[in-house]
Amino acid sequence: MENDRELLYSTQHSRTFSTGSDDEANESGNIAGDLSYRIRQSGSTNVPCDSQRIHWDLNYQEAAIFLQEGGNNDKLYYHPQNQDALPAYLIAHNTLFYLLDLGASLLLMSLAMCESPAVSKLQLPVAAHASLEIFGIAILVLKLFLNMRWIGVRSFVRHKRTMIKAAVLIVMLVEAIVVIIRQTNHFRVTRSLRPIFLIDSYYCRGVRRFVRQILQSLPPILDMIALLLFFMLIFSILGFYLFSQQQGDLVFADNYFFRTIEDSFVSLFILLTTANFPDVMMPSYARNKSSAVFFIVYLAIELYFFMNLLLAVVYDTFNNIEKEKLKKLFMHKRKACQHAFNLLVTKQNSSTIHLKHFVGLMKYYKPKKSRRDVYLAFKFLNHSKTSNLSLDEFYSVYEVALLTWTAKQGAGSVWSTHFYYPLNKIFVGIFKFANWKWFDRFIYLVIAANFVWIMVDTIQISTNPSIEAKNDFHTTWYSIVFVAIYFVEVIIKILGLGPKKYFTSGWNIFDFLVTIASLVGVLGTLFEENFYYIVVLRPFRLLRLFKMKKRYRDVLGTAIVLINRLGSLSVVMLLLYYFFSIIGMEVFSHYDLRDCCKNSNVESYYTTGNSNGSAQLAYYYLNNFDNIFMSAVTLFELTVVNNWFIIMEGYSHVATGWSRIYFMLFYLVTMVVMNIVVAFILEAFIFRIQYRRTMQITDIDDHGLMKVDINLSSEEQRMCLCQVLEMSGCWIRQQRDNQSQNDNMTLFRGERLRSKEDFSLRMYNDEVKEWEDELDRRRSLWSPDYVIIQDIEENEDTTASANTASTSQCQQSMQQINRIC
C-alpha cells in the first residue's frame, strides 16, 4: 500500500510549466511549481528574466532531495510539499542540526547518572537535572516542529514513529515540570523510553534498521515462545503432581522446587537456562531414581528441540526479511530516481538528461564533487555514448556518486610510475617483489616459526617455579628479529602497493596495527618493562595463517565484515540494558539484599556474616540497582545466565513474588535478541559462501573494491578545468564516432568499497530483473503519462543530424576554451 501511495504521489504532484524556451523543463517539482503558482496568483506581468534559471535550480535541488530520500530510505510521500516547506527541510537535514539532535538525545539518556538514584559523584540538584531535561526536550520538540512544517500536519499525524515520539515527549515534559515544582523525584518509569530519541537520530540509522528487523521478526518468534511456555506449563503441572507430595510434610521443607504450581513453573523456567541443574533434580532423584526421566524428557523437548527450532525460525525469518528489505530498498531507490529524472528532462527531449542538468543536480546532491569528477561520473553512466542519460543509465547514479576518481598513467600501471628516474624503476621492482608469491610464503613460514617459538617460550615461563618470572619480561634477540621482519614486510608492501591500495585491505590494516604495536612494545621494553603488555599482541599475527585455507578465510572474512555492523548491535544491547536498568532502578533501588532471604535456598548467598562458612558466597547483595552502572552490571550477570536465578530469588523475597516477571521478561528479551544475533552471523557467513559459488570466484574479497576506468581527452580535461565554461557532452559522442582517434587520452580510475547491498544485487541478479519488471508495471498502471524510454530504432533517424550538431558544438566549445581559459 505504501508503494502505491508513493506512485500516486508522483502522478498527482507533478506540474508542468512553460517558459517558451528551447531548454524548457518537462515538469516542475513541488517547490518550483509552488513558486510558479504564486507568480500566476499574484497577477504580476513582470516575470524576472532569470525565471527559467530559478526554476531549474529549484528542480535540481528537489531532484537531489529525491535522491537523498531514496538513499536514506525515507518515504517519498513525506517529500517537501511546497516552497515554504523547503527551509524547514534544509534545517532538519543539516549536519549541525543532526549533531544537535544527537546531543539532545545523549543528554537525556545521560541524566540517568545524575537523577535519583544517582551515581554518588555525579548527582545533581533536582532543579538542575530537571532544567537540563526540559532543555533537551525543547530541542527534540523543535525537531518535531520542523518535521511537521515540511511534511505537513496530515502526514505528520500518519507517521507512527513521530507520533510515538510526540506522545513520549509530552509525558516527559509534564513529568519534568512536576519535578521542578515539587523539588523532588517521583516514580518515573517513562525515563526508560529515552532511547527512542537516540534510535530516531540520523547517526543511528543502522541501529534503527536493526531494531526494525527485530520488530519485524517478532510475530513468528512470539509464536514459538508461546509454544515453548505452553509446554513448560504442562510440565510444571506434571512436576507439581509428581514431586510436591512425596513423604508428606517433610518434602515441603526439602523439595522446595515443586511446592506450589508457581514454584514448579519458576523452577522449570530456570531449568530451561540450565542454571539450576542438576540441583532442581536431586531432591526427587534421591527418593526415586526414575524421576530423572522427567527432567531428561523436559530438557530434550524444551532445551534441545524447541530452543534450536526457535533459532531456525529466527534465522529463516531474518533471512526473508533481509531479502525483502533489499527488494524494498532497491525499488525505493528506483522510484526516487524516476522522480528526480522527471525533474531533469526537458519538454523537447523528455527521455534523456543533458549533461548540463546532471551537473546542476550534482551541485546539490554531491556539492563537494569537482567538475572533473562530475563529468567522469556522467561519462561512465552514459553507456550509450549519446551524451545524454536515459532513465536506465540514470538508475546507477547511487553507485557512481560514491566513486573516488584518481588519474592513472595506464590500466596496468603502479602508483609510483610517475616518479623520476631511477626511483620509478626501484619502486616498480619493489612492487613486483611485494606481489611475489614466494615472498608471502616466506612471511607465512616466519609467522609459523614465531608461533612455535612463542609456545616454547610460554611453556618455559609457565613451568618456572618463580612466580615473578611470569612478569619479568625482557626483550630477547628473537623477539627483535621477528618484529624486524614484520616491520620490513609492512614497509615493502606500503612502498610497493602504495599507501592507498595497502590500506584498503582489511588484512593489511590488521597487520599494520599489530606490527606497529609490537614495534612500540619491543622498543618500549628497552626503557620500561610495562610495555610487555603491548608485546603480547604479537600472537594475533598468527591469524594470518588461517588466510591460507578457504574455509578459514570465510570465517575470518565474515568476522571482519561483521565488525562494521556489530556497532549497531552493540548500541542495541546498550539501549536494551538502559531500558531495563531504568525500570530496575525505579522498582528495586530502595531494597537492601544484605542478610535477606532467611530460611530459603539462597540465604547463604546474601548472609554478610562469617557463620556457616558463607563468607565466600555472600557478595550477591552487590548485584543491585542502586545506580545506572550497577544496574548494567547486574543485568550483564543475568545475561550470562549462570546463577542468575539467585538474584531473582533475592528480590522476590525482599519485594514480591511478582518481581520474578521482570527477570524472566529480561531473559526472554535477551534470548530473542541473541538468537537474532546468531541468525545475523549465520546469514553473513552463508551469504559469503553462496556469493562465492554463484559468482564462481575463489575469494569474495577480490570483489570488495569496485573499480571503473574512464578515459578523458586533453580537450575534456581543459573543459573541466575551465570553471566559467558550461560543460558539454559533445566529446562523448565524438569519441564514439571516431573510436580510432584516441590520442592524448588520460586514464582515470574510480574506486569505492562495495557494500552488502552491492553484493546482494549481484548475487540475486535474476530476482533483480523481476523487481525491475514489477516496478515498471506498477508505474505504468498508476501513471498513464509514464514515459517509456525510446528504442534505439526510433533514434536512428536523428543520428546523422545529431552527429553533425555534436561536431559543431565541439568546435564551438573548443573555441570558447581557447578564448576564455
Side-chain angles (χ1 to χ4, degrees):
M1 182 62 67
E2 287 185 354
N3 295 332
D4 296 341
R5 284 162 60 189
E6 290 177 4
L7 289 169
L8 184 60
Y9 159 83
S10 67
T11 59
Q12 290 180 345
H13 288 74
S14 60
R15 305 180 181 90
T16 303
F17 70 88
S18 175
T19 59
S21 169
D22 293 336
D23 191 28
E24 186 178 335
N26 186 55
E27 286 186 7
S28 268
N30 292 340
I31 302 172
D34 181 65
L35 176 62
S36 179
Y37 174 78
R38 292 185 180 187
I39 294 176
R40 291 194 301 268
Q41 288 295 107
S42 65
S44 175
T45 57
N46 299 321
V47 180
C49 59
D50 59 350
S51 174
Q52 179 174 305
R53 180 184 59 80
I54 296 174
H55 276 85
W56 272 117
D57 282 340
L58 292 175
N59 270 18
Y60 297 152
Q61 191 171 13
E62 187 165 359
I65 291 174
F66 272 122
L67 293 183
Q68 291 169 357
E69 291 171 335
N72 296 334
N73 202 20
D74 296 331
K75 303 301 181 184
L76 297 181
Y77 47 79
Y78 297 135
H79 188 77
Q81 301 297 309
N82 50 54
Q83 190 179 16
D84 292 336
L86 183 60
Y89 178 89
L90 296 177
I91 294 174
H93 291 78
N94 184 273
T95 302
L96 293 178
F97 195 82
Y98 286 151
L99 293 173
L100 185 64
D101 179 42
L102 178 65
S105 303
L106 293 175
L107 172 64
L108 289 178
M109 291 187 61
S110 62
L111 289 177
M113 299 182 296
C114 311
E115 300 166 329
S116 180
V119 179
S120 57
K121 295 182 179 181
L122 298 177
Q123 187 168 6
L124 292 176
V126 173
H129 68 67
S131 299
L132 289 174
E133 183 177 5
I134 292 177
F135 174 73
I137 291 174
I139 295 176
L140 297 176
V141 169
L142 175 61
K143 179 186 177 182
L144 289 181
F145 174 77
L146 291 174
N147 289 348
M148 184 175 63
R149 187 69 182 85
W150 62 266
I151 70 176
V153 177
R154 181 177 299 178
S155 298
F156 181 87
V157 174
R158 289 189 309 179
H159 198 275
K160 297 179 181 178
R161 191 172 72 242
T162 302
M163 291 306 298
I164 292 174
K165 283 180 57 180
V168 173
L169 280 175
I170 292 173
V171 174
M172 291 177 59
L173 180 61
V174 172
E175 288 186 335
I177 294 174
V178 171
V179 168
I180 291 181
I181 295 174
R182 298 178 66 243
Q183 285 297 301
T184 183
N185 290 291
H186 57 271
F187 184 81
R188 296 185 59 194
V189 74
T190 52
R191 294 190 299 154
S192 62
L193 300 178
R194 289 172 178 172
I196 291 177
F197 309 116
L198 182 64
I199 294 174
D200 195 54
S201 63
Y202 175 80
Y203 293 106
C204 290
R205 301 188 304 276
V207 177
R208 189 162 58 249
R209 295 189 188 107
F210 194 84
V211 172
R212 187 183 298 118
Q213 281 186 285
I214 293 176
L215 296 177
Q216 291 173 345
S217 304
L218 280 183
I221 295 175
L222 292 178
D223 291 341
M224 283 301 305
I225 291 178
L227 185 62
L228 184 144
L229 294 178
F230 175 76
F231 273 86
M232 187 182 297
L233 181 61
I234 296 298
F235 275 93
S236 300
I237 297 173
L238 185 60
F240 170 75
Y241 285 114
L242 287 176
F243 307 127
S244 64
Q245 296 297 330
Q246 294 181 5
Q247 297 183 5
D249 294 337
L250 294 178
V251 179
F252 287 99
D254 199 41
N255 192 2
Y256 38 74
F257 295 107
F258 297 94
R259 288 179 301 185
T260 64
I261 186 63
E262 178 186 353
D263 292 335
S264 181
F265 183 83
V266 171
S267 297
L268 292 184
F269 187 95
I270 299 171
L271 180 57
L272 180 65
T273 69
T274 69
N276 62 348
F277 189 80
D279 299 347
V280 68
M281 182 182 73
M282 298 316 293
S284 302
Y285 184 69
R287 296 176 178 84
N288 188 349
K289 298 299 186 291
S290 62
S291 62
V293 176
F294 172 85
F295 298 96
I296 293 173
V297 172
Y298 172 78
L299 287 175
I301 294 177
E302 289 282 283
L303 180 61
Y304 297 112
F305 179 72
F306 280 121
M307 291 297 287
N308 287 301
L309 185 61
L310 174 63
L311 177 59
V313 170
V314 171
Y315 172 73
D316 180 68
T317 304
F318 185 85
N319 195 33
N320 292 334
I321 289 176
E322 278 284 301
K323 199 166 185 179
E324 186 64 23
K325 182 180 70 173
L326 176 68
K327 176 184 177 181
K328 288 182 178 180
L329 182 60
F330 173 81
M331 300 183 72
H332 184 69
K333 285 185 175 181
R334 286 292 178 106
K335 286 182 283 187
C337 287
Q338 291 171 0
H339 293 315
F341 184 86
N342 291 336
L343 295 176
L344 299 175
V345 297
T346 63
K347 266 190 172 300
Q348 293 72 25
N349 186 4
S350 60
S351 61
T352 58
I353 299 176
H354 191 270
L355 172 60
K356 177 178 67 174
H357 302 309
F358 182 80
V359 173
L361 165 70
M362 298 300 286
K363 181 177 65 174
Y364 291 100
Y365 182 53
K366 293 293 179 182
K368 295 183 180 180
K369 292 285 185 181
S370 64
R371 283 166 57 93
R372 186 202 67 186
D373 291 350
V374 172
Y375 183 76
L376 285 167
F378 181 88
K379 192 171 184 180
F380 172 72
L381 288 173
N382 191 209
H383 300 296
S384 60
K385 306 300 181 185
T386 59
S387 72
N388 291 291
L389 293 181
S390 66
L391 179 58
D392 288 335
E393 294 172 334
F394 187 69
Y395 281 145
S396 301
V397 66
Y398 286 108
E399 301 175 9
V400 176
L402 298 176
L403 291 174
T404 301
W405 297 91
T406 55
K408 301 287 182 181
Q409 296 298 322
S413 63
V414 298
W415 76 289
S416 55
T417 304
H418 63 282
F419 286 7
Y420 290 109
Y421 181 85
L423 290 178
N424 57 346
K425 299 296 183 182
I426 295 174
F427 277 87
V428 169
I430 296 175
F431 172 79
K432 293 180 179 179
F433 183 75
N435 289 278
W436 189 31
K437 65 178 182 179
W438 288 103
F439 176 67
D440 279 338
R441 293 178 180 178
F442 170 74
I443 295 300
Y444 287 134
L445 181 63
V446 170
I447 295 174
N450 191 11
F451 171 69
V452 174
W453 217 300
I454 288 174
M455 289 300 301
V456 173
D457 198 19
T458 304
I459 292 173
Q460 290 179 348
I461 294 177
S462 64
T463 57
N464 195 315
S466 174
I467 299 177
E468 289 78 13
K470 298 179 181 179
N471 295 324
D472 184 17
F473 182 85
H474 59 279
T475 304
T476 58
W477 66 269
Y478 51 83
S479 297
I480 297 176
V481 169
F482 283 122
V483 173
I485 293 175
Y486 297 149
F487 183 71
V488 171
E489 180 212 5
V490 169
I491 295 300
I492 289 175
K493 288 195 172 182
I494 291 178
L495 295 179
L497 303 177
K500 183 176 180 180
K501 184 175 181 180
Y502 178 85
F503 287 105
T504 55
S505 170
W507 285 106
N508 289 339
I509 295 174
F510 175 78
D511 290 342
F512 178 81
L513 294 176
V514 175
T515 299
I516 294 300
S518 301
L519 181 64
V520 172
V522 168
L523 297 177
T525 50
L526 298 176
F527 307 99
E528 177 60 47
E529 292 183 355
N530 290 334
F531 275 85
Y532 160 74
Y533 297 101
I534 299 180
V535 182
V536 296
L537 295 174
R538 288 179 300 157
F540 282 104
R541 288 187 65 97
L542 303 177
L543 291 173
R544 285 186 59 188
L545 293 175
F546 294 95
K547 189 181 178 184
M548 300 175 64
K549 189 173 178 59
K550 184 186 300 182
R551 180 66 63 182
Y552 292 141
R553 285 203 303 269
D554 288 330
V555 174
L556 297 178
T558 302
I560 293 175
V561 170
L562 288 176
I563 288 176
N564 296 329
R565 304 179 68 184
L566 285 179
S568 299
L569 168 63
S570 302
V571 174
V572 170
M573 291 300 298
L574 289 176
L575 297 181
L576 179 65
Y577 275 30
Y578 184 93
F579 175 81
F580 278 93
S581 294
I582 295 295
I583 296 177
M585 289 162 57
E586 293 290 347
V587 177
F588 303 119
S589 62
H590 56 281
Y591 291 109
D592 189 357
L593 296 179
R594 285 175 293 189
D595 298 314
C596 72
C597 310
K598 296 296 183 180
N599 302 320
S600 69
N601 60 324
V602 296
E603 177 183 359
S604 59
Y605 294 95
Y606 295 99
T607 303
T608 56
N610 293 327
S611 60
N612 301 324
S614 61
Q616 295 181 353
L617 303 175
Y619 294 108
Y620 274 76
Y621 71 90
L622 296 174
N623 299 316
N624 55 50
F625 296 89
D626 288 352
N627 58 56
I628 189 69
F629 295 125
M630 299 184 73
S631 300
V633 173
T634 302
L635 292 177
F636 183 77
E637 293 186 33
L638 296 175
T639 305
V640 176
V641 172
N642 188 35
N643 282 352
W644 71 277
F645 68 95
I646 297 175
I647 303 173
M648 178 180 70
E649 290 302 309
Y651 279 102
S652 69
H653 279 79
V654 299
T656 174
W658 291 101
S659 61
R660 291 192 182 104
I661 296 177
Y662 169 84
F663 296 94
M664 291 181 176
L665 184 62
F666 176 77
Y667 171 77
L668 290 175
V669 173
T670 53
M671 179 185 67
V672 170
V673 173
M674 295 310 296
N675 272 280
I676 291 177
V677 171
V678 174
F680 180 75
I681 297 173
L682 281 174
E683 190 273 336
F685 178 74
I686 295 175
F687 175 84
R688 184 182 179 90
I689 297 176
Q690 290 178 343
Y691 182 87
R692 193 183 67 235
R693 293 173 179 172
T694 303
M695 305 304 295
Q696 297 181 351
I697 58 176
T698 57
D699 194 349
I700 191 175
D701 295 331
D702 298 337
H703 285 198
L705 189 66
M706 177 182 175
K707 300 178 182 178
V708 297
D709 293 330
I710 295 294
N711 286 305
L712 290 188
S713 65
S714 57
E715 293 84 0
E716 289 174 304
Q717 295 181 60
R718 293 175 63 186
M719 176 186 67
C720 293
L721 292 175
C722 188
Q723 299 293 330
V724 298
L725 185 66
E726 181 180 299
M727 286 199 292
S728 172
C730 62
W731 310 104
I732 300 175
R733 180 175 293 179
Q734 189 180 67
Q735 291 169 14
R736 180 199 64 182
D737 298 333
N738 303 298
Q739 296 182 1
S740 60
Q741 301 178 6
N742 287 328
D743 299 333
N744 300 323
M745 302 292 282
T746 302
L747 179 69
F748 289 85
R749 171 164 292 174
E751 296 180 344
R752 73 172 180 88
L753 294 175
R754 281 196 171 96
S755 63
K756 173 69 182 305
E757 179 187 351
D758 298 319
F759 288 122
S760 300
L761 291 176
R762 288 169 65 90
M763 190 172 74
Y764 301 131
N765 186 54
D766 294 336
E767 288 88 342
V768 168
K769 292 180 180 178
E770 295 177 0
W771 300 343
E772 292 174 347
D773 295 338
E774 179 183 348
L775 184 61
D776 289 339
R777 288 194 300 269
R778 285 186 180 182
R779 184 165 175 79
S780 61
L781 177 65
W782 278 101
S783 178
D785 299 327
Y786 172 54
V787 178
I788 306 297
I789 304 303
Q790 294 176 342
D791 296 332
I792 297 177
E793 292 80 2
E794 296 178 5
N795 292 328
E796 289 180 350
D797 297 336
T798 60
T799 300
S801 59
N803 289 343
T804 304
S806 177
T807 303
S808 175
Q809 187 179 8
C810 286
Q811 293 174 353
Q812 295 177 5
S813 179
M814 197 64 218
Q815 293 175 359
Q816 291 179 347
I817 292 174
N818 293 330
R819 183 177 69 255
I820 300 175
C821 301

